[in-house]
Amino acid sequence: MEITIKIDKRSKQAKVFYEYLKTLPFVEIEESRFNPDTEKAIKEAKKGKKTKTSLEDFRKELYS
């Protein structure tokens, strides 16, 4: 079974709880390195889901 817990580490109590969880042998911590949209794109790319676009369209999207 897998459970997801979101912890707002801005409070002292939350930081202490987070540090405690890291000491438990059966707890695996996955921290997000990027914002949710980027994380989603990375996961889709790893699964082989890609979108083709022309360089011109890419530049338009990038600079708009």
Side-chain angles (χ1 to χ4, degrees), residues 5 7 9 13-31:
I5 299 174
I7 301 173
K9 295 187 279 185
Q13 293 158 326
K15 288 178 188 175
V16 171
F17 179 61
Y18 176 74
E19 291 302 319
Y20 168 70
L21 288 175
K22 290 187 343 185
T23 66
L24 300 174
F26 53 86
V27 173
E28 181 180 320
I29 305 289
E30 283 186 24
E31 293 195 54

Side-chain angles (χ1 to χ4, degrees), residues 2-60:
E2 188 174 306
I3 299 172
T4 301
I5 299 174
K6 294 183 180 185
I7 301 173
D8 182 351
K9 295 187 279 185
R10 291 182 283 185
S11 75
K12 184 177 180 180
Q13 293 158 326
K15 288 178 188 175
V16 171
F17 179 61
Y18 176 74
E19 291 302 319
Y20 168 70
L21 288 175
K22 290 187 343 185
T23 66
L24 300 174
F26 53 86
V27 173
E28 181 180 320
I29 305 289
E30 283 186 24
E31 293 195 54
S32 180
R33 299 175 300 173
F34 306 105
N35 69 41
D37 291 334
T38 303
E39 286 289 346
K40 181 180 174 188
I42 291 170
K43 287 178 185 176
E44 288 177 354
K46 285 182 179 179
K47 290 180 182 177
K49 188 175 180 182
K50 301 171 187 160
T51 304
K52 282 192 172 189
T53 187
S54 69
L55 182 57
E56 184 178 318
D57 290 341
F58 176 72
R59 285 181 178 158
K60 286 179 184 175

